[in-house]
Amino acid sequence: MMIFLETTPSTNTAAKQLLCREHLAHGTVVYTRCQTAGRGQRGNSWEAAPGLNVTMSLILRPTGMPAAEQFYLSEAVALGVADVVEMLLDDVSHEEVTVKWPNDIYVGDRKIAGILIENSLSGANIEWSVAGIGLNVNQREFLSDAPNPVSIFQLTGRSYPIEEATSLIAERILSRLEQPRDELHAVYRSRLWRREGYHSYATPEGREFEARIVDVAPTGHLTLATTEGPLPSFAFKEVAALL
Ligand code: BTN
């Protein structure tokens, strides 16, 4: 089911409010033409000009998934969105579509989509998950202070119908979720942004260092290594790649 809202502060917030009132099935999509207070990771806001971009939240109800395994959802969502970005670019852009750990979608060194997943637990398991996705499709210029946004239009010179992109994303994510987990995880690791070579990272305390990606564990923890050897693994928000 696709639930369309003409305008709403945030599709994630709207989806969670609906979930408090009624049963929304696995695969339900809440989307809007005009998101007025889009929320991003790390307390950031998410810019999306009205009518030009995908702003959607997909309800997931993974059966019997322990909260400790929630990174699989993140991988399936990221890869599903990356699949659609590749389809929309349709070989026009030769830059690689990758996933910046943990789940930003990049084309080359620019961010084309962001993901914000919010879970509700029932005991040790995930009861439902709201996967919020913002994909820049037809926007021609970006006004916020986001460092490196890019859209499908900017890369291809072509517009794409938003509703179609929205349902394609839902379809691809749902089919990624059907994939065996070890396969999903292997694909995720192979599609990481900057998976080769040394790059700059910083911790929230401001420590900067050069490191290479060694691995991402199925829990989502990132292992980096400096030239002196591997560092203790990082959880999300414990380290950020510098652009
Ligand atoms: C990020 O990269 O910081 C995550 C951005 C997530 C934005 C999407 S747009 C639809 C959904 N509703 C929100 O308020 N946020 C997500």
Side-chain angles (χ1 to χ4, degrees), residues 103-138:
N103 56 12
D104 288 343
I105 309 305
Y106 267 44
V107 180
D109 283 333
R110 290 188 289 170
K111 177 164 168 172
I112 199 155
I115 293 165
L116 178 66
I117 301 181
E118 299 180 280
N119 296 320
S120 164
L121 304 184
S122 160
N125 284 355
I126 295 175
E127 183 193 6
W128 49 253
S129 181
V130 170
I133 297 135
L135 168 64
N136 302 327
V137 182
N138 299 328

Side-chain angles (χ1 to χ4, degrees), residues 9-13 35 37-42 44-46 54-57 103-104 111 113-116 131-135:
S10 152
T11 57
N12 268 32
T13 309
Q35 182 168 259
R39 296 187 286 114
Q41 301 279 3
R42 304 172 199 251
N44 290 326
S45 58
W46 181 257
V54 170
T55 42
M56 65 181 281
S57 299
N103 56 12
D104 288 343
K111 177 164 168 172
I115 293 165
L116 178 66
I133 297 135
L135 168 64

Side-chain angles (χ1 to χ4, degrees), residues 25-44:
H26 179 73
T28 303
V29 174
V30 178
Y31 69 112
T32 188
R33 206 189 74 81
C34 179
Q35 182 168 259
T36 54
R39 296 187 286 114
Q41 301 279 3
R42 304 172 199 251
N44 290 326

